[in-house]
């Protein structure tokens, strides 16, 4: 196995590039997406890329090469996907709060389907469709009440979550679709959460889906699509070792556990697992200081460039690429005026001093796409590495 992460850190001179910046390994991206495509197509499954994970244009263009569909959660994500040449018939559009304008946009562009999340939304989609004289293809996003065993702020499929139609209202929603000439019901959509690191929740999801499909006689309502959402996690603790998620076991699990008729097409919406490991955040150490009883490293990147540690107490590995000498325990903090602006507490690094470059790993998903301009921060540049070449966009 080539130790690519190590080489990447060692071989390039980043000192002339303005920090902080996102650094993307396009070879790893390609390897990852290609493996996911290969494993899913073994079973005839179809992948939509979850645009929210990262809509950097270069990442987007590279993903486009693999003929995936896209999963959007806003009108602007739909627009951006179309601009990048993703065909409208591969676009799914979810979200609990679609505006009338967004629904119009979806229908005007004849996207594959709207994943509807409430009875009221169905009524509005039907009204808009009637006005536009354009029946809307819809899937019903169901809240299956399955625990994803992930951080509570990125769990979506439990009773208390705002997402999806509850099982109590599914029958009404199905009947509503059946009675509306402006809605074409095509199937069910599920998404139970993100950063799911065990396959067990997916096994439970499959069992639940099998039950729902049968109990509600989904086929009889015209159901021919099963969208299982995304959520497959990545290894934040040891990204060098586990650069690519285990897509083989992931897709095999669905193949082995879903019991729906063979003509039902199974779709997925993967975000993090496709792009998470290909990106890092490179940041310079501005200062170090000794607190009352701890040492701080202050970096020029902050929560505005990577929110995950603050929002979800997420752990990202940090490496010092300027020094390998010694060993010290630090809190690594950003420059933002928030106490919570900490990337890592009590983390072990080599002796670190002003001017050193740090890399925060596993920043390909939900880092660049979640930047803030709080404190009037400027959005960082992105740098790409592909086949030994380094370039910026
Ligand atoms: N499908 C739907 C309907 C979703 O809401 C999401 C993510 C995905 C697919 C893709 O999930 P993935 O495969 O990327 O896990 N900002 C959080 C993650 C929020 C995920 C939101 N929905 C984080 O940084 O961990």
């Amino acid at each position: 196995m080539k130790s690519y992460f190590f080489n990447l850190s060692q071989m390039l001179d980043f000192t002339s590039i303005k920090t902080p910046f996102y650094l993307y390994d396009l070879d790893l991206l390609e390897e990852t997406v290609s493996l996911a495509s290969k494993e899913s197509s073994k079973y005839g499954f179809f992948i939509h890329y979850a645009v929210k994970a990262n809509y950097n244009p270069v990442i987007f263009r590279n993903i486009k090469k693999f003929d995936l569909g896209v999963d959007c959660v806003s009108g602007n994500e739909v627009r951006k996907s179309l601009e990048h040449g993703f065909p409208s018939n591969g676009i799914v559009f979810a979200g609990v709060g679609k505006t009338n304008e967004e629904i119009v946009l979806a229908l005007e562009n004849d996207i594959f389907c709207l994943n509807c999340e409430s009875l009221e939304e169905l009524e509005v989609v039907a009204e808009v469709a009637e006005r536009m004289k354009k029946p809307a293809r819809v899937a019903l996003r169901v809240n299956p009440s399955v625990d994803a065993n992930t951080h509570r702020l990125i769990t979506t499929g439990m009773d208390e979550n705002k997402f999806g139609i509850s099982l109590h209202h599914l029958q009404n929603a199905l009947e509503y679709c059946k009675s509306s000439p402006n809605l074409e019901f095509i199937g069910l959509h599920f998404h139970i959460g993100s950063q799911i690191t065990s396959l067990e929740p997916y096994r439970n999801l499959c069992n639940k889906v099998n039950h729902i499909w049968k109990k509600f006689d989904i086929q009889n309502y015209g159901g021919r699509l099963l969208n299982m959402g995304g959520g497959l996690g990545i290894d934040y603790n040891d990204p060098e070792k586990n650069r690519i998620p285990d897509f083989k076991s992931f897709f095999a699990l669905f193949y082995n556990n879903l019991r729906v008729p063979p003509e039902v097409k199974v779709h997925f919406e993967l975000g993090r697992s496709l792009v998470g490991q290909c990106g890092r955040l490179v940041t310079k150490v501005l200062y170090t200081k000794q607190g009352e009883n701890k040492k701080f490293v202050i970096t020029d990147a902050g929560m505005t460039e990577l929110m995950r540690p603050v929002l979800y107490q997420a752990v990202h590995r940090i490496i010092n690429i300027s020094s390998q000498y010694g060993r010290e325990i630090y809190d690594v903090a950003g420059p933002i005026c928030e106490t919570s602006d900490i990337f890592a507490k009590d983390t072990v690094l080599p002796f670190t001093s002003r001017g050193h470059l740090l890399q925060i790993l596993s920043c390909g998903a939900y880092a660049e796409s979640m930047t803030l301009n709080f404190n009037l921060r400027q959005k960082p540049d992105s740098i790409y590495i592909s086949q030994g070449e380094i370039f910026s966009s």
Side-chain angles (χ1 to χ4, degrees):
M1 189 186 124
K2 61 178 179 175
S3 58
Y4 201 86
F5 272 68
F6 188 68
N7 286 339
L8 193 65
S9 317
Q10 294 282 300
M11 73 189 180
L12 295 161
D13 176 16
F14 294 121
T15 46
S16 56
I17 303 173
K18 185 179 174 310
T19 53
F21 60 90
Y22 297 104
L23 175 67
Y24 291 107
D25 176 351
L26 299 182
D27 300 325
L28 179 57
L29 174 67
E30 191 156 333
E31 213 184 313
T32 308
V33 182
S34 148
L35 189 69
S37 296
K38 184 179 132 209
E39 293 300 330
S40 60
S41 56
K42 274 186 189 166
Y43 311 110
F45 295 162
F46 185 75
I47 303 177
H48 300 258
Y49 169 57
V51 175
K52 61 183 89 61
N54 192 325
Y55 32 80
N56 169 308
V58 175
I59 301 290
F60 228 12
R61 271 203 298 281
N62 275 273
I63 288 181
K64 166 85 184 37
K65 291 188 211 154
F66 291 89
D67 289 331
L68 307 189
V70 285
D71 155 43
C72 300
V73 285
S74 73
N76 280 346
E77 286 190 0
V78 172
R79 273 195 203 95
K80 184 134 295 236
S81 303
L82 291 167
E83 273 164 32
H84 277 85
F86 284 93
S88 57
N89 63 8
I91 300 180
V92 292
F93 183 7
V96 290
K98 302 178 193 78
T99 63
N100 286 37
E101 291 74 21
E102 288 175 320
I103 295 166
V104 168
L105 175 82
L107 296 186
E108 267 171 4
N109 286 288
D110 206 16
I111 68 164
F112 176 57
C113 84
L114 285 154
N115 292 332
C116 291
E117 309 221 11
S118 67
L119 285 168
E120 273 191 12
E121 183 191 335
L122 277 179
E123 286 168 17
V124 173
V125 171
E127 265 169 46
V128 174
E130 176 165 28
R131 230 181 307 127
M132 292 176 69
K133 305 267 166 294
K134 218 164 183 192
R137 266 183 306 277
V138 296
L140 299 181
R141 176 168 180 180
V142 178
N143 184 328
S145 190
V146 168
D147 191 351
N149 293 327
T150 184
H151 190 276
R152 68 182 175 83
L153 294 182
I154 48 175
T155 283
T156 53
M158 306 266 293
D159 289 342
E160 72 261 28
N161 299 135
K162 67 178 176 180
F163 298 100
I165 296 172
S166 84
L167 286 172
H168 289 111
H169 294 117
L170 182 55
Q171 188 74 52
N172 285 348
L174 288 164
E175 286 301 323
Y176 185 81
C177 291
K178 194 172 171 181
S179 66
S180 169
N182 300 300
L183 298 179
E184 184 194 351
F185 169 75
I186 63 167
L188 299 182
H189 172 227
F190 299 85
H191 173 74
I192 55 171
S194 200
Q195 184 52 16
I196 300 172
T197 50
S198 132
L199 291 183
E200 217 33 52
Y202 288 119
R203 199 186 307 278
N204 296 338
L205 175 63
C206 288
N207 292 338
K208 207 60 182 265
V209 167
N210 297 340
H211 173 73
I212 294 171
W213 195 272
K214 216 162 153 192
K215 177 171 172 200
F216 291 91
D217 201 4
I218 299 299
Q219 205 97 349
N220 222 5
Y221 286 94
R224 54 192 184 277
L225 163 94
L226 197 46
N227 182 341
M228 303 301 285
L232 178 63
I234 60 171
D235 190 342
Y236 283 97
N237 295 311
D238 202 351
E240 291 98 334
K241 187 162 156 233
N242 294 311
R243 301 183 315 139
I244 301 184
D246 184 0
F247 293 115
K248 191 176 172 154
S249 307
F250 177 73
F251 290 116
L253 178 122
F254 288 93
Y255 180 73
N256 292 325
N257 288 277
L258 279 176
R259 304 265 176 276
V260 289
E263 60 274 24
V264 174
K265 192 98 175 98
V266 181
H267 290 220
F268 291 86
E269 301 168 339
L270 300 181
R272 186 193 319 264
S273 53
L274 299 181
V275 296
Q277 298 293 31
C278 80
R280 307 151 168 230
L281 177 60
V282 182
T283 177
K284 194 176 280 170
V285 175
L286 292 175
Y287 302 102
T288 59
K289 67 175 171 183
Q290 176 68 58
E292 201 51 54
N293 39 32
K294 42 172 75 206
K295 281 200 161 72
F296 290 98
V297 165
I298 311 291
T299 56
D300 61 1
M303 60 188 271
T304 42
E305 289 72 53
L306 174 64
M307 281 236 269
R308 303 195 65 261
V310 171
L311 273 183
Y312 324 110
Q313 296 77 50
V315 171
H316 284 251
R317 258 207 74 206
I318 301 178
I319 54 178
N320 181 335
I321 58 165
S322 308
S323 157
Q324 292 185 4
Y325 160 70
R327 196 172 174 278
E328 189 70 82
I329 297 176
Y330 298 102
D331 274 13
V332 179
I336 307 303
C337 288
E338 289 283 349
T339 305
S340 54
D341 183 28
I342 302 270
F343 288 125
K345 272 189 186 297
D346 299 323
T347 196
V348 177
L349 288 174
F351 293 146
T352 297
S353 48
R354 176 170 163 84
H356 282 181
L357 286 180
L358 306 185
Q359 290 190 354
I360 306 179
L361 307 188
S362 312
C363 284
Y366 306 112
E368 184 172 354
S369 63
M370 289 176 75
T371 50
L372 293 175
N373 75 340
F374 181 47
N375 288 186
L376 282 181
R377 299 275 293 175
Q378 199 170 339
K379 188 167 184 262
D381 286 338
S382 296
I383 306 288
Y384 311 89
I385 296 178
S386 172
Q387 309 195 344
E389 300 271 317
I390 178 163
F391 62 97
S392 60
S393 48

